[in-house]
Amino acid sequence: MTTVAHHKLSLAQALNRALRDAMAEDPTVVMFGEDVGALGGVFRITDGLTAEFGEDRCFDTPLAESGIVGMAVGMAMNGMRPVVEMQFDAFAYPAFEQIVSHVAKMRNRTRGRVALPMVIRVPYAGGIGGVEHHCDSSEAYYAHTPGLQVVAPATPADGYALLRAAIADPDPVIFLEPKKLYWSKEEIEFPVRAPGIGTAVVRRAGTDATLIAYGPTVPVALEAAEVAAQEGRSLQVVDLRSIVPFDDETVCAAVRSTGRAVVVAESSGFAGVSAEIVARVTERCFAALAAPIRRVTGFDIPYPPPKLEHFQLPGVDRVLDAVDDLQWEES
Amino acid sequence: MTPDLRRLLPSDSPVTLIDPDGHATGDVPDDATLLRSLGALITARRLNDQAYALVRQGRLAVYPSSHGQEACQVAAAQVLRPQDWLFPTYRDTVAATVKGVDPVEALSLLKGDWHCGYDPYEHHVAPHTTPLATQLPHAVGVAHAARLRGEPAVVMAMCGDGGTSEGDFHEALNFAAVFHAPVVFFVQNNEYAISVPLSRQTAAPSLAHKGVGYGVPGERVDGNDMAALLTVLGAAVERARAGQGPQLVEAHTYRMQAHTNADDATRYRDDAEVAAWVGRDPITRLRAYLTGRGALTAEADAEFAAAAERAAAHLRDGLNQDVEPNPEDLFAYVYSTPTTQLREQAALVADELSREVAQA
Ligand SMILES: Cc1ncc(C[n+]2csc(CCOP(=O)(O)OP(=O)(O)O)c2C)c(N)n1
Ligand SMILES: [Mg+2]
């Protein structure tokens, strides 16, 4: 019998625990990147792993992201399950060619003979007062690339569950860790029971409209729903958890149940994941919609400097304004 | 000069063991070894020319030939053991076949049936890689994984002179050195990257010198001298196997034909330049050496030619077979399990096909 235990953990601690448990269970899991060894990563996600598992299992590399991801490809080809850390979202770009041309395509190129069970962890998005190149929401680049799975946890429990699932998965996963949520805590019940990659969840029930969010905007959507409830409007909140594969079923069922929806995403709206969500839901649920689906996203600008970033981040007021715009009949 | 630096620097000129006239100038491998290589060289040339002809007949979309570079192709694979890995580029089809890949499967990419036509695990040959130098970090990863598990495998990672300018070349050398990975980086310097000459790739004294900055020993070798290639590459492989880390080997050779059939080499180089390399042909040279020693009998030579013809016939037969492509394959290998969306898209194609059949 497995014993149930409860721990109050931050997202950062939950991710660290997921890595530790995966490495303890499976000797082929290795973790590497920049400053992930003695330092434990700039966000401490790999804290203590080198001490516990040794230099061969968790190690620092030269500072070269293409080399890091490329080496992970080779190790995954040869029997390992590498997990690599890109230090920040915008510093993953040197690895883009490896990700698009090899990580995403190897299974397809080889008719399934060469699988790449690997995870690319990316501390991502803004809201932490970071200077330029430290706050990018880069999910659309990855989500647009067939062959990748793209997930973004919004809670510590999901951080643990999705990272374990990503490491165990036979295919590559881009694992986007919302930086601003690293320090948010919640009580987690172990063993963690949570749906796997590819499943969205309804985080809050509601009947008037559906907020669709993922990663850093999930808490924003929940807060907006709380405020709306006080004003007499019942908002449902869907947390995508997984951008690819996309859970059309859960999302569409949620939107059909309310007939109105707002997508809340931190990244720029143009050609973004938010645009894809609106398109898919409209294609599938048009008849059930009482109003066009609205989006609250980052503007189509390079991520602003810290003192201006609050304009860029979708906030509760902007979300509620969008909800107000959903063609409500006068009551 | 410190001993450390001396250890990293390549020879002043490329290592040659048999000169272009077929005379030994150094310590040459034994006759049996070289006879085996000559046989492989003759088949290699025949496969190159057969593949080239198959492009003209419309059976292959294009073929980047290694005509003239066959000694590099054969040596790269012959110095390896079955457990060792080969990472070929688009130009290294012949090397893949010497490592054991069926030439028909190796050319599936260019025939258009599928991207990689062979099982990379069967002969430890990675898929041909076209994005320049991107396969080199993979080679380091395969080698590092082998080393972590204590397996005595070595990785031969190939690229061209142009590929040495790409970032991944440098990252791979650096990673291999830092992690002490058993990789031999083998650069075939054939003087051109499509139309761009070597002088536009680098101002370094040689490509082999590029190892110095990473702490990777470099060596240069005459790329049309089978004996020198076997010796230099063989030593690099065995050093790597013995735990002495990576090495960079630059072979000086020449691309005798255009980049591919689609290229017009007369736009950027003179016929005279090409003609000068005819006299340095790797097959002529090895045959002259072995004949001079009386080691090559007429029967053996005839058997080499016959084996080459058999290989060419096998290639022709294989490539002349039309395999009906299966549209289900479009969606089958994107993920281990197709997503709901991919199943929907597969159903759409199946529906289109069934309507076509119904109309016919
Ligand atoms: C990243 C990348 N850029 C450009 C190309 C297009 N391209 C294909 S082969 C080639 C020349 C490569 O020359 P070299 O590395 O010397 O190899 P060779 O063809 O001579 O064997 C170029 C530019 C490519 N395949 N990949
Ligand atoms: Mg070249």
Side-chain angles (χ1 to χ4, degrees):
Chain A
M1 258 212 44
T2 42
T3 44
V4 175
H6 291 83
H7 298 284
K8 190 162 180 152
L9 297 180
S10 66
L11 175 61
Q13 290 167 326
L15 295 170
N16 176 265
R17 171 130 183 197
L19 289 170
R20 176 171 283 116
D21 290 354
M23 290 173 77
E25 249 172 52
D26 180 351
T28 67
V29 176
V30 289
M31 170 78 231
F32 54 96
E34 300 168 4
D35 299 297
V36 301
L39 182 66
V42 292
F43 293 104
R44 305 293 181 270
I45 309 301
T46 58
D47 190 32
L49 298 180
T50 303
E52 185 168 341
F53 297 100
E55 230 330 277
D56 285 351
R57 299 285 306 284
C58 179
F59 53 91
D60 290 325
T61 63
L63 307 191
E65 291 74 13
S66 186
I68 292 169
V69 171
M71 181 157 112
V73 168
M75 292 180 78
M77 282 176 78
N78 201 8
M80 313 294 267
R81 285 184 180 268
V83 182
V84 298
E85 177 173 303
M86 300 283 102
Q87 199 158 65
F88 282 86
D89 33 56
F91 306 141
Y93 301 145
F96 198 63
E97 183 186 24
Q98 283 291 342
I99 295 173
V100 171
S101 293
H102 294 297
V103 175
K105 291 180 182 161
M106 189 67 87
R107 174 184 289 282
N108 191 251
R109 293 169 68 214
T110 60
R111 301 179 72 89
R113 285 158 173 153
V114 181
L116 296 180
M118 58 184 279
V119 180
I120 302 176
R121 293 185 33 247
V122 186
Y124 118 109
I128 59 160
V131 298
E132 60 172 349
H133 309 300
H134 292 77
C135 298
D136 281 15
S137 288
S138 39
E139 65 268 31
Y141 306 129
Y142 305 117
H144 191 65
T145 303
L148 300 177
Q149 301 174 93
V150 185
V151 306
T155 67
D158 257 2
Y160 182 90
L162 287 173
L163 186 50
R164 291 299 305 269
I167 294 170
D169 199 276
D171 288 313
V173 178
I174 306 291
F175 196 86
L176 303 173
E177 304 171 359
K179 288 190 280 281
K180 75 165 192 199
L181 304 182
Y182 269 148
W183 304 280
S184 66
K185 287 202 172 190
E186 109 184 309
E187 180 107 340
I188 306 181
E189 183 181 300
F190 288 90
V192 176
R193 277 167 302 154
I197 294 170
T199 307
V201 298
V202 175
R203 288 259 175 244
R204 180 186 172 114
T207 52
D208 294 336
T210 302
L211 303 180
I212 304 165
Y214 57 91
T217 53
V218 172
V220 178
L222 288 168
E223 201 188 325
E226 189 61 41
V227 175
Q230 286 157 22
E231 295 169 359
R233 196 164 266 162
S234 166
L235 300 185
Q236 182 186 37
V237 176
V238 175
D239 174 359
L240 290 184
R241 304 170 78 249
S242 168
I243 299 169
V244 183
F246 190 85
D247 186 353
D248 282 311
E249 203 181 315
T250 301
V251 173
C252 288
V255 174
R256 281 197 196 97
S257 76
T258 61
R260 289 181 168 81
V262 174
V263 180
V264 190
E266 193 175 308
S267 64
S268 304
F270 189 83
V273 169
S274 62
E276 174 64 24
I277 298 170
V278 174
R280 314 183 65 76
V281 176
T282 305
E283 279 178 334
R284 288 165 174 77
C285 308
F286 187 71
L289 289 175
I293 301 172
R294 285 289 314 267
R295 285 189 289 160
V296 178
T297 68
F299 298 119
D300 299 325
I301 56 173
Y303 198 84
K307 291 192 175 153
L308 288 168
E309 81 172 339
H310 58 282
F311 287 105
Q312 174 74 352
L313 299 170
V316 170
D317 290 344
R318 227 177 253 164
V319 173
L320 292 176
D321 285 349
V323 171
D324 281 345
D325 263 6
L326 292 174
Q327 303 184 7
W328 304 93
E329 290 108 60
E330 298 302 324
S331 53
Chain B
M1 206 189 301
T2 63
D4 237 18
L5 184 54
R6 196 167 301 122
R7 180 182 69 85
L8 300 177
L9 280 171
S11 317
D12 290 337
S13 58
V15 174
T16 305
L17 295 179
I18 300 176
D19 69 20
D21 299 326
H23 300 119
T25 59
D27 212 352
V28 173
D30 63 49
D31 290 345
T33 302
L34 290 178
L35 277 168
R36 172 169 161 263
S37 293
L38 179 64
L41 278 178
I42 291 167
T43 295
R45 173 70 47 87
R46 188 68 189 86
L47 286 177
N48 269 329
D49 294 347
Q50 181 62 69
Y52 201 87
L54 285 161
V55 178
R56 273 186 269 122
Q57 293 157 25
R59 304 307 303 184
L60 287 173
V62 72
Y63 182 64
S65 178
S66 59
H67 187 117
Q69 301 174 217
E70 287 92 347
C72 296
Q73 297 287 305
V74 170
Q78 282 192 337
V79 296
L80 300 179
R81 300 184 191 167
Q83 78 265 24
D84 296 337
W85 278 84
L86 181 80
F87 276 74
T89 73
Y90 52 88
R91 197 174 301 288
D92 304 317
T93 300
V94 166
T97 67
V98 178
K99 185 80 166 69
V101 176
D102 184 321
V104 177
E105 293 183 358
L107 285 172
S108 149
L109 172 78
L110 304 172
K111 186 180 175 217
D113 289 343
W114 198 261
H115 310 299
C116 178
Y118 50 90
D119 179 352
Y121 292 113
E122 192 181 349
H123 300 287
H124 282 194
V125 177
H128 287 102
T129 302
T130 307
L132 299 171
T134 58
Q135 73 281 12
L136 304 179
H138 308 169
V140 178
V142 165
H144 189 57
R147 190 162 164 271
L148 287 180
R149 280 201 302 267
E151 291 162 6
V154 173
V155 182
M156 178 70 66
M158 304 178 77
C159 78
D161 46 296
T164 66
S165 300
E166 294 281 358
D168 274 353
F169 172 82
H170 299 268
E171 297 191 17
L173 253 78
N174 194 35
F175 274 60
V178 165
F179 292 110
H180 221 64
V183 182
V184 176
F185 295 96
F186 181 35
V187 180
Q188 290 169 85
N189 171 5
N190 61 8
E191 301 277 348
Y192 287 92
I194 310 185
S195 66
V196 181
L198 182 68
S199 59
R200 193 42 73 87
Q201 298 301 338
T202 185
S206 82
L207 297 175
H209 281 82
K210 289 184 183 245
V212 176
Y214 303 108
V216 174
E219 185 54 291
R220 353 168 36 186
V221 57
D222 183 331
N224 289 10
D225 177 353
M226 192 71 217
L229 283 159
L230 287 174
T231 303
V232 170
L233 287 173
V237 164
E238 290 323 316
R239 263 198 304 275
R241 201 185 307 284
Q244 293 178 44
Q247 187 166 337
L248 170 64
V249 176
E250 173 192 9
H252 291 252
T253 182
Y254 194 76
R255 197 192 73 209
M256 295 301 289
Q257 295 175 343
H259 174 67
T260 67
N261 319 57
D263 172 42
D264 176 6
T266 63
R267 293 177 72 100
Y268 54 83
R269 67 184 191 188
D270 297 338
D271 288 347
E273 182 185 303
V274 182
W277 279 86
V278 173
R280 304 183 58 181
D281 184 76
I283 303 180
T284 315
R285 192 189 303 197
L286 185 58
R287 181 180 270 124
Y289 169 77
L290 287 168
T291 307
R293 286 174 62 81
L296 178 64
T297 63
E299 296 79 56
D301 212 6
E303 176 43 39
F304 289 153
E309 277 318 312
R310 286 194 296 275
H314 172 74
L315 186 61
R316 273 195 311 274
D317 293 348
L319 293 187
N320 281 327
Q321 246 152 60
D322 285 318
V323 186
E324 193 57 46
N326 180 358
E328 283 174 21
D329 286 354
L330 290 169
F331 305 98
Y333 309 112
V334 185
Y335 300 100
S336 65
T337 315
T339 58
T340 314
Q341 290 79 11
L342 289 181
R343 285 200 301 274
E344 288 169 7
Q345 291 165 26
L348 184 119
V349 172
D351 179 53
E352 282 174 3
L353 287 172
S354 69
R355 278 183 287 150
E356 265 173 39
V357 172
Q359 274 170 17

